[in-house]
Amino acid sequence: QISQISQISQISQRMDQLATSCQNSTAGLRELQWKVAKLTEKTATQHLADSAAQVAEFSALREELERTLEKTKDPQPVEPVVHPQLLQVTEQFATLHKELQQLQE
């Protein structure tokens, strides 16, 4: 009977140890779950921040492109500035060209 009581006592102690071990494991698991949740939240927040920065950059680039397109869309015609001497030389060249053609004929 004493040996049975001793065995029961040992079994009871072992059960207490296992219960404590399970509680510690459960607490460790909960802590790990909390850490994973925080890390996931942090990662998601960082991902959203990165995405928002990219959207802002793309928006700025799009606006710059639209401004550039608007500037080049309907350019105002520019009248060429012709120097009077250039006109005179051009006329002289045309006259000489006609005279050469006549001489060749």
Side-chain angles (χ1 to χ4, degrees), residues 13-24:
Q13 286 176 353
R14 182 68 182 136
M15 287 178 65
D16 288 344
Q17 289 173 349
L18 288 174
T20 301
S21 178
C22 285
Q23 287 174 348
N24 290 341

Side-chain angles (χ1 to χ4, degrees), residues 38-81:
K38 285 295 178 186
L39 182 60
T40 302
E41 180 182 325
K42 183 178 178 183
T43 302
T45 302
Q46 185 62 46
H47 179 69
L48 288 174
D50 291 345
S51 295
Q54 287 178 342
V55 167
E57 183 179 1
F58 288 143
S59 294
L61 289 172
R62 189 193 75 226
E63 289 174 8
E64 183 179 342
L65 178 61
E66 286 174 353
R67 284 192 303 271
T68 303
L69 287 173
E70 196 62 37
K71 287 178 185 176
T72 60
K73 189 176 180 181
D74 293 320
Q76 297 296 322
V78 177
E79 294 296 323
V81 177

